Amino acid sequence: MPAPAAIPVHRLGPRHAPAVARHLLRLDAEDRRLRFGRPMGDEALRAYAAGIDFERDRLFGIFGAESELAGVAHLAMDDATGQAELGLSVDAAHRGRGYGSALLRRAVLHAANRGYRALYMHCLADNAAMLHLARKAGLRTVVSAGEADAWLALDRARHGGALREALEDQFALIDHLLRQQHAWFSCLPRPDQAAANRASVS
Ligand SMILES: CC(C)(COP(=O)(O)OP(=O)(O)OC[C@H]1O[C@@H](n2cnc3c(N)ncnc32)[C@H](O)[C@@H]1OP(=O)(O)O)[C@@H](O)C(=O)NCCC(=O)NCCS
């Protein structure tokens, strides 16, 4: 697995469900088909986002400049089998910057640390970008009858690392604080504007 990229990947919680929905709604019809394996209308996407079980599953996200979700990974956890299924998507405008790889890597790290045996992805056989991404990350891919499965047998020593995951979460927290600070400062009037305001009331 390649070294962690300098892309902060956040854990998402129930409060992010509306932002997850907005991210999915920005995908065009073809991307929705590639992400879910079938056509998905707006209502179906809203229902999917509203129905995410944040207690059981893990959601990871990457925020864009406007603090909207530019990429989302849904890691469906199955404690009974020790297998986790990953689905991910990245806004068209943010592709090719390593966001998809960063989300995949983050999901592998989390599943391995949870002691899971395998991570898999199910996608359509014509999803060349996803198959490329999966193979690059070391997943074994099997393509048949228009569908593809990508598998990674997880080894905690090789794919996991509690310290690594803690550092990734710290990195995401710093990113969050910087975004908050930026939003706060951008609400303040500029010094010249503040002076003009003071002059107009005196
Ligand atoms: C698949 C997807 C998540 C990739 O996101 P991304 O942020 O662009 O991913 P990255 O930037 O990390 O990597 C993309 C890689 O795919 C390659 N790629 C892009 N289009 C490709 C194509 N048509 N054929 C082969 N490789 C392709 C890029 O060159 C890049 O490879 P590199 O890093 O070796 O140069 C994004 O395209 C997407 O959201 N697609 C729609 C939803 C989907 O298909 N989800 C997957 C099913 S669960």
Side-chain angles (χ1 to χ4, degrees), residues 34 88-90 95-98 100-101 127-130 132-133 136:
L34 292 173
L88 55 89
S89 49
V90 172
R95 292 195 189 145
R97 301 179 187 176
S101 304
N127 198 341
M130 193 60 242
H132 173 81
L133 204 72
K136 202 172 145 184

Side-chain angles (χ1 to χ4, degrees), residues 7 23 27-28 30-37 62 70-72 85-92 94-105 121-124 126-134 136:
I7 298 170
H23 162 74
L27 298 176
D28 67 18
E30 174 62 359
D31 286 341
R32 294 177 186 192
R33 184 185 74 86
L34 292 173
R35 166 63 181 83
F36 292 96
I62 295 173
V72 172
E85 180 178 6
L86 180 67
L88 55 89
S89 49
V90 172
D91 268 356
H94 292 88
R95 292 195 189 145
R97 301 179 187 176
Y99 286 14
S101 304
L103 289 165
L104 173 54
R105 215 169 24 232
M121 305 178 71
H122 189 70
C123 69
L124 297 173
D126 61 351
N127 198 341
M130 193 60 242
L131 286 170
H132 173 81
L133 204 72
K136 202 172 145 184

